[in-house]
Amino acid sequence: MNAARVLGAALLLSAAVAGAYVSGRVSAQRALVTPDEINTVEVTQNALQAVVRIDNRLQRDQLQPGDDPIETGTGFFYKKDLIVTNYHVIEFQDSLSVTLYNGRKVSAKIEGVDPGIDIAILRVTGVTAPKTLSFGSSARLIPGQKLTAMGTPLKIPNFVSTGIFSVMASADNVPRNDNLGGEIGEYLMTTASIQQGNSGGPILDSRGLVVGVADANAAPNNLVPGVIGIAIPGDIVKQSLDDLEKIGVPQRGTLGATLVNLDTLPPALRQLAGLSSSEGALVMDVPAGSAAARAGLRGSLRNSSDQLLAPLGDIIVAVDGVRVTNSFDVTRLVATKRPGQTVNLRVWRNKKSVDVKVTLLKRTLQQTGR
């Protein structure tokens, strides 16, 4: 008899705890032993309903025989009808659908894109976000701080992993081959698991605030799963979302000129320009009306066969006193500025070092890139 009562009490307790999990009211400290455990569950339960699966049916010309026509990624509601995700998740889309936490599926349309930091906004209609997530400060993260990642890795819904914030790593250390993210100066690196399908999902701090957007992972080679999670810092994502909503295009700094890496030029041309180093970015084209043109940057001359002619155009070797290795360095350093701000370029011109001040201009819809 006593045994039956004990068993009944255990079952009731178990049901109560299960109910707490389902409803999101997590206060069962008897089941959750440590404060960190309680915090992880509370953050997870409060945020999961804002996280969505995104299915991108690809355009036919992007498919090879045997390819899966649908690519899957993750996103999250940050407003009642707006979802943020990675641009690479929705690139080459023929149609998009979003699956909510409860399994309901709705169609989605692209509201805005920012390939420069690999971010996109989707709008859904006929449904209101069950939850929305707010942004915290990625700049205030401390190495060792706990982070939680959520998403749809390998098409597994509502997957949660935890880890720590490790370091902000220069984009130089995160090589990409998709021509995206050229204006990301540094990435957030975490031990939280980020796998294929996690892209676009939120990285949360212990307050449940978004401090990053999952973007990729790093591995020693292509034969093993990525072991280092790579995310776009939340601060630049939030800035981009504000720009896209208010103006339609991101407002990070840009010269508006076409640049090429100096090390791609034949050594004879570099010697002709009086250069002993292959570090720097050659200014190729300077469109009229661009910030570069207004500052007097000089482009390069080419013949009818598109071959460079001497003398070369300006070669940028430093931005605001920071030496640059290639055009990517120039782009990401200038991108830290906003329209109206001034950037100081050290350029090599006619075998002499010259300083050029460039006042950055507001971007227009014609400068969205891809």
Side-chain angles (χ1 to χ4, degrees):
M1 192 71 171
N2 290 337
R5 285 176 183 166
V6 171
L7 178 58
L11 289 173
L12 286 173
L13 176 60
S14 148
V17 172
Y21 277 93
V22 171
S23 65
R25 297 189 301 274
V26 180
S27 58
Q29 302 221 11
R30 285 167 293 183
L32 305 174
V33 178
T34 67
D36 181 64
E37 199 174 34
I38 294 168
N39 172 258
T40 299
V41 173
E42 287 180 340
V43 166
T44 299
Q45 294 299 308
N46 286 330
L48 265 180
Q49 292 185 54
V51 181
V52 301
R53 165 177 169 160
I54 298 173
D55 287 317
N56 175 8
R57 182 171 290 279
L58 296 170
Q59 299 165 1
R60 288 186 179 180
D61 59 5
Q62 297 298 320
L63 298 171
Q64 300 293 328
D67 283 352
D68 187 339
I70 296 178
E71 287 190 347
T72 298
T74 303
F76 60 92
F77 283 101
Y78 71 101
K79 289 191 175 179
K80 65 178 183 179
D81 57 352
L82 295 178
I83 293 167
V84 62
T85 187
N86 287 143
Y87 177 79
H88 77 254
V89 168
I90 55 90
E91 191 178 16
F92 308 123
Q93 57 90 27
D94 182 58
S95 64
L96 297 170
S97 65
V98 167
T99 303
L100 278 62
Y101 171 77
N102 61 6
R104 181 178 178 184
K105 183 177 287 189
V106 295
S107 61
K109 299 292 184 184
I110 296 174
E111 181 75 8
V113 298
D114 185 357
I117 64 166
D118 194 13
I119 285 294
I121 301 174
L122 304 183
R123 183 181 292 276
V124 293
T125 55
V127 67
T128 299
K131 285 274 189 177
T132 59
L133 298 180
S134 300
F135 282 84
S137 173
S138 56
R140 295 182 181 178
L141 288 173
I142 301 170
Q145 187 171 336
K146 186 183 74 176
L147 297 179
T148 301
M150 300 179 181
T152 319
L154 309 178
K155 299 188 178 182
I156 302 170
N158 305 323
F159 189 87
V160 180
S161 70
T162 61
I164 62 166
F165 164 63
S166 178
V167 70
M168 289 291 185
S170 169
D172 282 340
N173 298 319
V174 185
R176 302 184 67 142
N177 58 9
D178 56 6
N179 296 317
L180 300 175
E183 295 179 354
I184 299 174
E186 56 184 11
Y187 286 89
L188 184 162
M189 313 298 276
T190 178
T191 59
S193 178
I194 296 176
Q195 302 298 327
Q196 184 178 357
N198 268 115
S199 293
I203 307 296
L204 306 170
D205 65 13
S206 295
R207 296 178 179 85
L209 299 175
V210 179
V211 292
V213 174
D215 196 54
N217 61 41
N221 55 60
N222 292 329
L223 301 178
V224 298
V227 293
I228 299 175
I230 302 171
I232 307 165
D235 291 349
I236 62 170
V237 175
K238 185 177 185 300
Q239 183 187 77
S240 174
L241 299 180
D242 290 342
D243 288 342
L244 290 173
E245 287 191 58
K246 295 173 182 176
I247 304 171
V249 289
Q251 292 301 306
R252 293 181 301 277
T254 178
L255 300 177
T258 303
L259 308 175
V260 298
N261 296 339
L262 192 62
D263 63 6
T264 63
L265 303 184
L269 266 181
R270 295 201 298 268
Q271 291 173 3
L272 194 62
L275 290 166
S276 57
S277 171
S278 61
E279 295 185 351
L282 173 66
V283 179
M284 290 289 282
D285 298 310
V286 182
S290 65
R294 295 188 183 192
L297 277 182
R298 300 179 184 179
S300 301
L301 298 175
R302 285 165 286 182
N303 61 22
S304 57
S305 300
D306 206 36
Q307 296 172 318
L308 286 166
L309 301 173
L312 296 175
D314 287 338
I315 297 165
I316 301 173
V317 296
V319 176
D320 286 337
V322 178
R323 289 195 61 83
V324 297
T325 301
N326 48 38
S327 59
F328 175 74
D329 285 349
V330 176
T331 298
R332 66 183 177 86
L333 288 170
V334 173
T336 63
K337 304 282 189 176
R338 299 287 280 175
Q341 292 185 308
T342 299
V343 61
N344 188 64
L345 304 180
R346 175 68 56 86
V347 305
W348 187 253
R349 177 187 292 171
N350 295 331
K351 298 184 180 181
K352 293 181 180 179
S353 183
V354 178
D355 287 332
V356 178
K357 290 188 179 297
V358 182
T359 300
L360 303 174
L361 305 177
K362 182 177 178 179
R363 293 192 186 192
T364 67
L365 287 171
Q366 286 71 40
Q367 294 173 313
T368 54
R370 301 161 70 87

